[in-house]
Amino acid sequence: MSIFSCKQEVKEKSYLSISGEIANNQQDSLVFFTFHTEEKTVKINPDGTFSDTLHLKKPGLLYVNYKDRQHSFFARNGYDLHLTWDGSEEKIDGFNPIKTLKFSGYGSNIVTYHNDETMNEYLNPSRNEDRFQLSEGDFFKETEQYFETKLNKAPKTDPDYTAYYAVDLYQSKRFEFDKYQKKQYKASVLKKGAVSPKFTNYEDVNGKKVSLDDFKGKYIFIDFWATWCKPCIRQIPFIKELEEAYKGKNIEFIGISVDKQKDKGKWKTMVAEKNLTNVQLITDNATEAEFTKVYKVESIPRFILIDPEGKIVSAEAPWPENKEEIKALFDEMGI
């Protein structure tokens, strides 16, 4: 007599099942999307419940938009996730992760772990800025050990998550190394008292050619901005207040646009519309201009203060909205 043992193979779903309940719901739908342009609007029922399926191209972060807040979590086809949260909850210090958001169902252990890691790292950083004072060799060693520990601690129950998390941590590690190099650069080339890099023949709104040396003998407060940069535009009222407060003082306020040359017309129009009466210039090569590259202007707005001798006071000055900080800096310089 022969005995045969048969085991039925369970085929995993080729889609993500997602459902949930929102207490104190305040809208009629949710929008789920990924960086791969996938997007789906899911209806929220009158009782705050919702349910749908999503077909994801590959495992990774899935974003959900609710009340103009975005929360991300790891997801892949095959998971069956149930979400619950309080729709009346506000952001945590402006940060996206929502405190009351909870997950259950297949895959929720992975999702919860990743969310907790993200939240804890943001609210309770396990590392401080002192690490950037280490020698290059010690910094690299500390960074390698830190990310290796994080990877080893992560759950190994889902190969897709393990692979995703390994890539995610690798990218974070590369970002750390890059940040270290930039800080070392700024601590040497852009340190306080160093001679400032210069720009020459930047065009103002009237077509006049202007150079940094034209303002020698004055403090120079530079605002790097662009017409497409909303945070830059939000600073304009504060810049105007600053200019008014220091009118007649030995300081020149200069706006330098990193708009492309083809958008010069748009730049001139905004200067007029916003009534920007201070010196307004445009770089000769957008963000690739030598002056912006030497100053490592990789995000805007960015503010710089230079002294009357052409030396750097601050390569990353406070934003004008931070009134007390910028006043303290100007007072220190005797402006």
Side-chain angles (χ1 to χ4, degrees):
M1 185 173 69
S2 299
I3 300 175
F4 295 92
S5 175
C6 299
K7 181 180 180 181
Q8 184 177 4
E9 184 176 330
V10 178
K11 187 176 182 179
E12 199 168 66
K13 296 180 298 185
S14 60
Y15 55 87
L16 165 70
S17 295
I18 196 149
S19 61
E21 304 164 25
I22 306 175
N24 303 305
N25 178 43
Q26 300 176 33
Q27 62 185 49
D28 59 8
S29 63
L30 292 169
V31 177
F32 290 91
F33 61 97
T34 73
F35 277 156
H36 311 294
T37 69
E38 299 162 298
E39 183 175 308
K40 188 168 188 178
T41 299
V42 176
K43 179 184 176 182
I44 302 176
N45 299 315
D47 62 356
T49 62
F50 63 91
S51 180
D52 213 323
T53 59
L54 291 84
H55 294 266
L56 305 179
K57 290 183 179 178
K58 64 179 183 178
L61 289 184
L62 177 64
Y63 293 79
V64 56
N65 192 318
Y66 180 82
K67 282 176 57 182
D68 295 322
R69 291 176 297 174
Q70 290 178 7
H71 179 76
S72 62
F73 54 93
F74 176 81
R76 68 167 175 81
N77 293 330
Y79 279 5
D80 190 349
L81 298 175
H82 188 79
L83 291 63
T84 60
W85 80 83
D86 187 341
S88 64
E89 184 184 22
E90 298 301 323
K91 291 181 181 179
I92 302 174
D93 297 327
F95 191 48
N96 286 331
I98 305 166
K99 193 173 181 181
T100 61
L101 182 56
K102 305 296 181 185
F103 293 86
S104 59
Y106 178 58
S108 62
N109 63 317
I110 297 292
V111 174
T112 300
Y113 174 83
H114 194 80
N115 283 357
D116 288 348
E117 281 288 294
T118 303
M119 177 73 84
N120 291 336
E121 191 63 35
Y122 180 82
L123 297 178
N124 305 293
S126 57
R127 308 160 81 207
N128 56 46
E129 293 293 302
D130 290 346
R131 67 186 184 279
F132 293 107
Q133 305 302 319
L134 296 171
S135 67
E136 184 173 297
D138 287 344
F139 177 83
F140 279 27
K141 181 179 179 181
E142 188 271 349
T143 303
E144 289 283 1
Q145 291 176 340
Y146 173 78
F147 284 104
E148 183 178 353
T149 299
K150 284 180 73 72
L151 182 60
N152 290 337
K153 190 176 69 172
K156 303 295 190 296
T157 54
D158 185 341
D160 282 332
Y161 175 69
T162 302
Y164 165 81
Y165 196 47
V167 172
D168 185 52
L169 290 180
Y170 174 76
Q171 292 172 339
S172 297
K173 181 169 64 176
R174 291 292 300 270
F175 176 79
E176 281 282 290
F177 291 157
D178 186 52
K179 187 176 179 181
Y180 177 82
Q181 297 290 359
K182 288 175 181 175
K183 281 185 174 291
Q184 300 308 305
Y185 175 87
K186 289 177 181 178
S188 53
V189 178
L190 301 180
K191 67 180 179 181
K192 183 177 181 179
V195 176
S196 172
K198 297 179 181 181
F199 63 82
T200 57
N201 297 323
Y202 278 9
E203 190 176 322
D204 71 6
V205 289
N206 299 312
K208 180 183 175 182
K209 299 295 184 179
V210 179
S211 300
L212 184 67
D213 283 342
D214 294 338
F215 305 98
K216 202 160 188 179
K218 291 184 176 182
Y219 281 95
I220 305 166
F221 187 74
I222 295 176
D223 165 25
F224 288 101
W225 72 289
T227 57
W228 44 261
C229 171
K230 291 183 179 179
C232 301
I233 294 169
R234 284 199 296 269
Q235 290 302 305
I236 289 177
F238 300 106
I239 294 171
K240 288 185 175 183
E241 285 182 25
L242 200 58
E243 291 172 10
E244 185 63 29
Y246 287 87
K247 183 182 290 185
K249 303 291 186 180
N250 190 36
I251 183 169
E252 194 77 49
F253 293 90
I254 302 175
I256 298 182
S257 168
V258 296
D259 281 288
K260 295 179 180 179
Q261 285 289 312
K262 69 180 181 65
D263 295 322
K264 191 184 297 182
K266 186 186 297 184
W267 162 66
K268 289 182 179 181
T269 298
M270 182 168 286
V271 168
E273 289 178 346
K274 298 293 183 182
N275 193 28
L276 305 181
T277 57
N278 62 327
V279 177
Q280 290 293 327
L281 310 174
I282 188 168
T283 69
D284 53 7
N285 192 20
T287 55
E288 291 301 306
E290 188 63 26
F291 187 61
T292 60
K293 289 173 71 175
V294 175
Y295 259 113
K296 298 293 184 185
V297 180
E298 296 169 343
S299 64
I300 53 175
R302 168 82 175 275
F303 301 93
I304 292 170
L305 182 62
I306 301 171
D307 74 11
E309 297 179 357
K311 294 180 179 179
I312 298 171
V313 175
S314 176
E316 292 192 51
W319 288 20
E321 67 179 9
N322 299 321
K323 299 179 182 181
E324 291 186 5
E325 290 182 36
I326 203 159
K327 183 180 184 302
L329 177 63
F330 282 14
D331 287 349
E332 180 186 345
M333 295 297 103
I335 301 174

